[in-house]
Amino acid sequence: QVQLVESGGGLVQPGGSLRLSCAASGSISSINTMGWYRQAPGKQRELVATITTGGSTNYRASVKGRFTISRDNAKNTLYLQMNSLKPEDTAVYYCNADIWSLGYRRNDWGQGTQVTVSS
């Protein structure tokens, strides 16, 4: 069994910052690419950023220069530092991971954490 648990969401004013965390636990042999996705009300889930085991990153254009994705491989934890937040960043943010567990490759999602940017 594998679990991804996000934390760090909340309400913040425009221009503010938040740091999201995603801790993976369970029968994990290794974790490949990890990523953050978000889904705003009435919209499809979209990719925010991804990071490989080696640290290569990829961002959607609208968050480049404001968001930073990172990971701690020893702790199986993913982070998203979000700065200069805008109202359009409001969404439920989901963690995703490509995981090897008990000899099988699987793709897992966290339960999501709400980020609201509003004055």
Side-chain angles (χ1 to χ4, degrees), residues 24-96:
S25 62
S27 301
I28 297 171
S29 299
S30 64
I31 304 178
N32 300 323
T33 297
M34 302 182 81
W36 289 99
Y37 292 73
R38 66 187 182 187
Q39 188 167 18
K43 294 188 177 181
Q44 289 189 330
R45 190 172 297 190
E46 62 185 22
L47 172 69
V48 176
T50 61
I51 184 168
T52 66
T53 307
S56 295
T57 59
N58 179 55
Y59 297 91
R60 72 179 298 107
S62 62
V63 307
K64 277 184 181 178
R66 300 188 298 122
F67 291 10
T68 303
I69 189 171
S70 61
R71 62 191 286 176
D72 184 331
N73 292 329
K75 295 181 179 179
N76 287 338
T77 301
L78 177 70
Y79 304 99
L80 185 68
Q81 178 66 44
M82 305 185 292
N83 299 327
S84 302
L85 282 160
K86 303 176 181 180
E88 50 264 42
D89 294 318
T90 295
V92 178
Y93 283 69
Y94 297 92
C95 170
N96 177 267

